Amino acid sequence: MSAKWEEVALAKRRAVSANIPADWLIPQLLLPSPAELDVTQFPRKSGWFTPRELDITDSTATAILCKIAGGTWSAEEVTRSFCKRAAAAQQLTNCLSEIFFAEAIESAKILDENFRKTGKVVGPLHGLPISLKDNFNVVGRDSTVGFTSLVGQPATYNSTLVELLEAQGAVRYCKTNVPTAMMIAESVNNVYGRTTNPLNRKLTSGGSSGGESALIAFGGSPLGVGTDIGGSLRIPAACTGIFTLRPSFGRFPTQRCRSGLAGQEAVQSVNGPMSKTLGDIVLFAKTVVDAQPWLQDPKCLPIPWRSVEKKKKKLKLAVLWDDGMVAPTPPVARALRETVEKLNKAGHEILDWNPTLHSQGLDILGRMFVADGGKSVRALLDPTAEPFRPEMSQYENAPERSVHDMWQLHLERSEFQRKYLEQWMSYGGLDAILSPTTPYASVEHGNFKHVGYTGVFNIVDYSAVSFPCGVTADREKDAASLNAAPLSNTCKEVQQDCK
């Protein structure tokens, strides 16, 4: 007999599937076989999408907004096109957690009617479909963050960022899958199952914003919003070859979002955009900041948007070749080398970054996440007798820290931040650190073992961008690097996973 959590999960998955209109179910004859791993070309090669739909969904967010404002495309047809492509993405990668296409189309119709009457857009995002990570509350929709106990508990209010984006003209149409509690570097949970990477469905799309990265990489969203507490924006972006921005805390509103570790503020979670282009990341950031979010979220800093007026022709960049714990796998190491070569040729000053502090930073991060002894996670598992997933074993077995112990950990964190800043300042006018986002280009499901390259920057709360550099894995080119001496036991496992 099925356990209660299994029944709840099955019913929820069926409900999500039922929200895909019959017209947007991929015909059986067109479905890629399980052996077809790269499904990113399905929309263009299948013949299932019209040329107009492809033109719309292959466009950048910035281009879409120009076409809508110019009257070339309507908000409704743009929304319908992305809903159809998102429906395909769900069927091929299991990336969605909530679907509200019909509601989105009605919202788009209202925007079109307003445009016809006034000749003006309602805001800078007028008619743009924007996808949302599962933890963003939307009235009437679940925010399960991967727990069966939160199924059937629809939100009664919207997250502040959701309200802000809608006020600027954005159309919300779906929410995307996450790992349990949003605390795993792969997007898998007991409610919806596992999201796969559309570039290779044997590989992970990352976590915890892996539903977003899969949807965007497939072309089912022009612009999405995720969150990051240890790499949850940057890891999925790196696994799928898209752009993201992890801002420092207080830049974008985080108010009224759901968390798997509610009340944990030793290391702050932040929200950020994900897209295929840097220009669309800038579009999101400027729109949100120009909306003065500090008037709605008291934790946002009242800093207006500022453009760089005098751009430096020569940057000083420090390169983190490895973090002292796990060396990047050969494709990532080659990508870093080739990027550094291009920067050198462009005349920028390149230095080496000493990773001496990184192991301490990752250790602090790990202790903060389990400081409650796993009580937060257990409290959300117990109501439906849902088991801990194997990826969450550190939460199942962690000892609880006392208040005094936690305060000492805060002191350790603050001292670490001071030391990291001191190292930064010792370079004299340093502009940025260039680093791998993860040791992997991506990795087979269940094998993601190290978040050291991202987690340290959550501890120091530095803004960070993950970006593609045009390098893809090549077994022949990378074979020579496979026998490098490992930096640790974890490093040895990571390198073996890539052979």
Side-chain angles (χ1 to χ4, degrees):
M1 184 175 179
S2 296
K4 183 179 179 183
W5 70 269
E6 294 173 308
E7 296 170 357
V8 172
L10 179 60
K12 182 61 180 179
R13 290 195 296 272
R14 286 175 173 170
V16 172
S17 296
N19 280 327
I20 299 177
D23 288 348
W24 292 342
L25 294 174
I26 301 172
Q28 193 68 31
L29 289 174
L30 296 180
L31 273 174
S33 73
E36 293 179 67
L37 301 180
D38 185 347
V39 293
T40 56
Q41 297 306 307
F42 170 81
R44 189 157 291 279
K45 291 183 176 180
S46 65
W48 191 52
F49 289 84
T50 68
R52 180 90 162 186
E53 289 168 340
L54 290 171
D55 192 19
I56 290 170
T57 54
D58 284 339
S59 296
T60 67
T62 304
I64 291 166
L65 291 169
C66 288
K67 291 289 184 70
I68 293 176
T72 304
W73 294 338
S74 69
E76 181 184 351
E77 69 174 329
V78 168
T79 299
R80 285 184 180 275
S81 296
F82 275 104
C83 286
K84 180 178 177 179
R85 194 146 171 171
Q90 166 63 7
Q91 293 167 75
L92 298 178
T93 68
N94 191 40
C95 57
L96 304 184
S97 61
E98 293 288 325
I99 292 172
F100 31 101
F101 296 157
E103 176 187 316
I105 291 167
E106 288 306 310
S107 296
K109 287 179 179 179
I110 293 171
L111 288 169
D112 285 336
E113 182 62 23
N114 184 281
F115 186 72
R116 279 192 290 269
K117 287 181 178 179
T118 66
K120 298 178 180 179
V121 295
V122 302
L125 301 178
H126 181 105
L128 183 69
I130 292 184
S131 50
L132 303 164
K133 189 174 179 177
D134 184 70
N135 67 308
F136 286 94
N137 285 313
V138 173
V139 170
R141 306 292 169 179
D142 286 348
S143 297
T144 72
V145 292
F147 290 101
T148 54
S149 67
L150 296 178
V151 171
Q153 296 189 29
T156 57
Y157 53 80
N158 294 322
S159 294
T160 298
L161 185 58
V162 171
E163 296 267 343
L164 184 153
L165 294 173
E166 187 174 33
Q168 303 306 310
V171 177
R172 55 179 186 251
Y173 65 115
C174 62
K175 296 210 295 178
T176 53
N177 198 26
V178 299
T180 307
M182 304 186 297
M183 297 305 294
I184 305 171
E186 302 183 44
S187 290
V188 57
N189 59 68
N190 290 329
V191 182
Y192 305 102
R194 186 182 296 276
T195 296
T196 61
N197 191 324
L199 294 163
N200 183 335
R201 292 188 288 176
K202 285 178 65 177
L203 307 181
T204 182
S205 61
S208 62
S209 306
E212 276 299 320
S213 68
L215 180 65
I216 293 166
F218 185 82
S221 172
L223 183 63
V225 193
T227 67
D228 195 309
I229 197 172
S232 291
L233 282 164
R234 292 158 288 160
I235 290 169
C239 287
T240 55
I242 63 175
F243 289 84
T244 193
L245 164 66
R246 181 236 177 253
S248 293
F249 183 74
R251 197 52 169 150
F252 302 146
T254 57
Q255 190 172 245
R256 308 194 97 181
C257 292
R258 173 154 269 167
S259 171
L261 302 179
Q264 188 288 125
E265 295 186 354
V267 55
Q268 297 278 10
S269 178
V270 296
N271 300 335
M274 306 177 80
S275 185
K276 287 186 176 182
T277 70
L278 183 60
D280 290 345
I281 299 295
V282 175
L283 165 71
F284 174 94
K286 186 177 187 305
T287 299
V288 172
V289 173
D290 283 348
Q292 298 182 308
W294 50 87
L295 300 179
Q296 301 173 61
D297 185 341
K299 291 187 177 180
C300 279
L301 301 173
I303 304 172
W305 182 262
R306 298 160 296 174
S307 297
V308 178
E309 296 180 0
K310 188 176 180 180
K311 297 181 180 179
K312 297 175 67 174
K313 293 183 179 180
K314 181 179 179 180
L315 299 175
K316 179 182 279 192
L317 305 170
V319 180
L320 178 68
W321 296 102
D322 66 67
D323 66 0
M325 295 172 281
V326 174
T329 56
V332 178
R334 179 166 56 86
L336 185 59
R337 287 196 307 271
E338 292 182 11
T339 301
V340 170
E341 287 170 7
K342 291 176 183 177
L343 291 166
N344 264 318
K345 288 180 181 178
H348 300 294
E349 183 180 358
I350 306 297
L351 306 166
D352 292 341
W353 181 265
N354 189 331
T356 184
L357 291 171
H358 280 237
S359 60
Q360 182 189 359
L362 184 61
D363 177 62
I364 292 171
L365 185 75
R367 283 182 282 150
M368 285 176 168
F369 285 162
V370 298
D372 71 342
K375 281 186 174 180
S376 297
V377 173
R378 189 172 286 105
L380 290 169
L381 293 172
D382 285 350
T384 53
E386 181 182 339
F388 278 88
R389 287 194 59 86
E391 303 93 344
M392 301 289 287
S393 60
Q394 69 271 37
Y395 294 87
E396 184 176 14
N397 303 314
E400 184 177 359
R401 291 182 177 274
S402 68
V403 173
H404 175 75
D405 288 342
M406 195 62 188
W407 287 353
Q408 303 314 300
L409 188 54
H410 289 168
L411 291 174
E412 187 178 348
R413 175 206 59 197
S414 296
E415 176 61 12
F416 178 85
Q417 291 171 333
R418 187 195 67 77
K419 287 181 179 178
Y420 209 92
L421 177 60
E422 183 177 67
Q423 182 178 347
W424 183 292
M425 297 304 293
S426 72
Y427 281 72
L430 187 64
D431 291 295
I433 298 172
L434 185 66
S435 164
T437 304
T438 84
Y440 317 96
S442 185
V443 68
E444 289 187 346
H445 301 300
N447 282 345
F448 207 106
K449 295 183 171 72
H450 186 66
V451 297
Y453 286 97
T454 52
V456 170
F457 297 108
N458 293 87
I459 289 291
V460 294
D461 194 25
Y462 289 2
S463 57
V465 174
S466 184
F467 59 91
C469 61
V471 176
T472 57
D474 185 307
R475 187 172 294 277
E476 190 172 311
K477 290 181 179 179
D478 299 323
S481 303
L482 284 171
N483 297 317
L487 301 176
S488 64
N489 288 334
T490 302
C491 184
K492 183 177 181 180
E493 293 175 7
V494 167
Q495 302 302 323
Q496 286 176 340
D497 287 343
C498 293
K499 290 184 178 180

